[in-house]
Amino acid sequence: MGQRVLVVDDDRTVSDVVCRYLEHAGYEVDHVGDGLAALDAVRERRPHLVVLDLMLPGLDGLQVCRRLRQGSDGVPIIMLTARGDEADRVLGLQLGADDYLGKPFSPRELVLRVGSVLRRAREPAPPEAELFVDAGLEVATGPRVARLHGRELSLTLREFDLLAHLMRHPARAFRRTELLERVWGWTFGDESTVTVHVRRLREKIEDDPAEPRRIVTVWGVGYRYQPADA
């Protein structure tokens, strides 16, 4: 059985094209046209990934994303938006979306993004699972669990991978484009994706996110993980 993708979009023309391209790429595709139906479909059909339009009748895409993440549902989400305001896309990432595309978009690019997100989601742990420990923060790559002072953190797929990558290379500065390639597997994309995920991580692991001591900004470059004992 192939991987299942749920397409949530009330525009029948767009959804027909998206479903056709995904099916041609080998995915099993389900489609619903509103937010409440999307929540039901995720619960009942357990898709491997959700392609979620921002503008939906009933519950909009942001509300659907928020409810999925509040329910600790780790299903990867790619958000589609026709709005011109970048703040909506950034908010989607803040709520836990793994990626987004602005309408109009290339269906081929969407298929590539779906493949990239799913590859990251199913990547096996390294032959020797890693454990990173620093000042009460523990990240175990085998079970993909992160704890802060013994309390398990609720991290999205990308947040976990980003944190593990930075801790794997302590005190090394990475450009945003490098992080997009190494963590997201993209050789293209909006660098604000990295900025938003760093902001979300700081909210979860820093004592004071406004004055971060773990994930620090390297001005003119990007970010680095600063160990407490460095």
Side-chain angles (χ1 to χ4, degrees), residues 21-230:
Y21 269 80
L22 288 170
E23 288 169 349
H24 183 72
Y27 298 105
E28 295 185 15
V29 183
D30 294 313
H31 168 256
V32 296
D34 65 79
L36 288 174
L39 294 176
D40 290 339
V42 170
R43 182 175 58 254
E44 295 170 3
R45 306 177 197 177
R46 310 306 302 173
H48 296 91
L49 181 142
V50 177
V51 176
L52 178 63
D53 188 33
L54 186 65
M55 300 293 291
L56 294 170
L59 292 178
D60 66 21
L62 293 176
Q63 292 173 302
V64 172
C65 186
R66 181 184 289 111
R67 291 199 184 187
L68 289 176
R69 292 301 179 243
Q70 286 175 342
S72 300
D73 196 309
V75 60
I77 298 170
I78 296 179
M79 187 166 283
L80 305 178
T81 173
R83 296 182 182 177
D85 190 353
E86 183 182 0
D88 290 315
R89 299 193 292 272
V90 170
L91 181 56
L93 294 173
Q94 289 176 326
L95 291 175
D98 296 271
D99 195 3
Y100 70 84
L101 279 176
K103 294 181 177 180
F105 58 87
S106 162
R108 292 185 179 87
E109 181 179 356
L110 175 60
V111 171
L112 289 174
R113 295 289 185 97
V114 167
S116 174
V117 171
L118 285 173
R119 279 194 300 275
R120 296 294 299 182
R122 67 173 184 262
E123 275 186 352
E128 294 184 4
E130 300 164 292
L131 175 64
F132 307 110
V133 181
D134 178 57
L137 178 62
E138 300 180 8
V139 174
T141 62
R144 295 184 66 83
V145 171
R147 292 186 174 88
L148 182 61
H149 304 305
R151 178 178 59 86
E152 185 169 338
L153 298 173
S154 177
L155 302 182
T156 66
L157 170 71
R158 299 297 191 189
E159 289 168 357
F160 183 93
D161 288 345
L162 177 59
L163 179 58
H165 180 76
L166 291 171
M167 293 187 75
R168 188 177 292 117
H169 306 280
R172 176 177 171 181
F174 289 94
R175 297 188 303 275
R176 291 172 180 83
T177 53
E178 287 182 291
L179 292 171
L180 274 177
E181 183 172 357
R182 292 169 182 247
V183 176
W184 277 258
W186 302 348
T187 55
F188 58 89
D190 188 343
E191 294 180 21
S192 67
T193 299
V194 176
T195 305
V196 171
H197 280 75
V198 166
R199 184 186 311 147
R200 284 178 55 83
L201 268 178
R202 285 171 170 168
E203 291 171 354
K204 296 177 181 182
I205 70 172
E206 299 283 2
D207 293 333
D208 181 1
E211 296 289 339
R213 295 181 178 275
R214 296 181 188 271
I215 302 178
V216 299
T217 299
V218 182
W219 296 107
V221 181
Y223 304 102
R224 73 167 183 263
Y225 185 88
Q226 188 67 30
D229 58 358

